[in-house]
Amino acid sequence: MDPAPHWKKYVAQVRDFDAVLEYAKAVSTSLIGTVPAHKHIRYGEQIFVKLLGHCVTLRRIAPDATRRTGRELWDAPSMSSLARCVIEAHDAFTYIALGHMTSTERDFRLQLWELHSKNRRAKMLRAIGSVDPRLSTIEAEEKILQNAITGSSFFTSISANVKQKILGGDPPPFHLTQRERCAMADVNFDYYNVVTMHLSQNVHTHPLSIQQLLAFRAGDADALAMMSLPLDYALPFLARVTHEMRNMFPKKVASPPSRTASKMLLWRTISAHGVKGKAP
């Protein structure tokens, strides 16, 4: 089979990713020196920078669209892992930085997210028998956060399962389920589930990822299609967070070029409605 049509499609996919990525970089640059007044917005900007870093590296290790070669080892697992990181950053961004809610719920979300982080750090340090004096500081901060969370009026409204985990010393990063977080972010849950599961098939050392690595040859149509998926899967979430950053700082961030704006809208729409029933 002549690979040229597949290379042409791949080049178009890369161009779409590049257009949104370049605009995201411009957004980040325009916010240098900005100190948001609210803690959740500050976290949101920091998460955006983290997500942007994942996307820059993802693009860097993607197959070079200007070189058609069969003598390269294409790394689908690493690309898939980075795409998963992009989606995870999007999840944290929407939970922490977005949404209209009471200040009580906003404080609860921030405290739970921070508690999860400190809890994990303390567990890791204890597991290696650390004598670092900072461990006691982390444990004290963890206790303060747990008391604030359990003493919050919002604590009574969360599910019994999450309450049990918090009280049992295993706090989750979010009090909402993945389905609830997708609904809050206007992301189709079935689409989200398929994308993350598909990426995981390559991230983890499962039979499928091994068989594909051995069977696919760089430059072949099937290999090229597989390598384009992490870009396509990450792009909607890059577009969504970049769009929200533009909304947060309308006076500091310029609008995207019209073509980039249309691509961002297209990919946000795909993630909102899914692809069931669409032609391949």
Side-chain angles (χ1 to χ4, degrees), residues 108 111-112 114-116 118-119 139-152 155 163-171:
F108 179 90
Q111 289 166 347
L112 180 60
E114 290 175 340
L115 175 62
H116 173 78
K118 292 188 183 297
N119 177 267
E139 290 175 330
E141 292 170 343
E142 181 185 0
K143 186 63 176 177
I144 291 171
L145 283 168
Q146 185 171 32
N147 288 340
I149 287 169
T150 56
S152 169
F155 184 74
K163 286 180 184 176
Q164 184 177 3
K165 288 182 178 180
I166 294 171
L167 294 172
D170 188 27

Side-chain angles (χ1 to χ4, degrees), residues 92-106:
F93 179 89
T94 55
Y95 180 81
I96 292 299
L98 299 186
H100 298 288
M101 63 195 72
T102 64
S103 60
T104 301
E105 180 178 353
R106 180 72 73 190

Side-chain angles (χ1 to χ4, degrees), residues 71-181:
R71 301 182 63 83
E72 289 183 337
L73 179 62
W74 285 354
D75 191 358
S78 292
M79 289 185 65
S80 298
S81 179
L82 284 164
R84 280 296 306 262
C85 288
V86 171
I87 296 171
E88 182 183 337
H90 164 272
D91 287 356
F93 179 89
T94 55
Y95 180 81
I96 292 299
L98 299 186
H100 298 288
M101 63 195 72
T102 64
S103 60
T104 301
E105 180 178 353
R106 180 72 73 190
D107 289 343
F108 179 90
R109 291 190 183 198
L110 289 167
Q111 289 166 347
L112 180 60
W113 194 54
E114 290 175 340
L115 175 62
H116 173 78
S117 175
K118 292 188 183 297
N119 177 267
R120 287 295 181 91
R121 287 182 65 195
K123 283 180 177 177
M124 288 188 291
L125 289 170
R126 287 194 294 265
I128 63 173
S130 175
V131 294
D132 192 319
R134 286 175 294 183
L135 173 57
S136 59
T137 301
I138 294 170
E139 290 175 330
E141 292 170 343
E142 181 185 0
K143 186 63 176 177
I144 291 171
L145 283 168
Q146 185 171 32
N147 288 340
I149 287 169
T150 56
S152 169
S153 59
F154 190 76
F155 184 74
T156 60
S157 68
I158 66 176
S159 71
N161 180 53
V162 176
K163 286 180 184 176
Q164 184 177 3
K165 288 182 178 180
I166 294 171
L167 294 172
D170 188 27
F174 315 118
H175 77 283
L176 300 173
T177 66
Q178 186 62 66
R179 187 180 290 275
E180 289 170 334
R181 298 200 306 276

Side-chain angles (χ1 to χ4, degrees), residues 12-28 48 51-52 55-56 59 86 231-232 234-246 253-268:
Q13 291 169 306
V14 169
R15 284 176 178 166
D16 284 354
F17 192 88
D18 283 348
V20 179
L21 181 58
E22 287 306 309
Y23 176 64
K25 289 179 183 178
V27 170
S28 180
F48 172 60
L51 182 150
L52 186 56
C55 289
V56 168
R59 176 64 183 90
V86 171
L231 296 171
D232 281 354
L235 186 49
F237 299 94
L238 169 63
R240 296 181 71 84
V241 175
T242 303
H243 174 75
E244 294 298 344
M245 289 297 295
R246 165 78 178 85
V253 178
S255 299
S258 58
R259 182 183 179 279
T260 302
S262 66
K263 291 297 180 181
M264 290 174 66
L265 176 59
L266 170 64
W267 284 102
R268 288 180 4 242

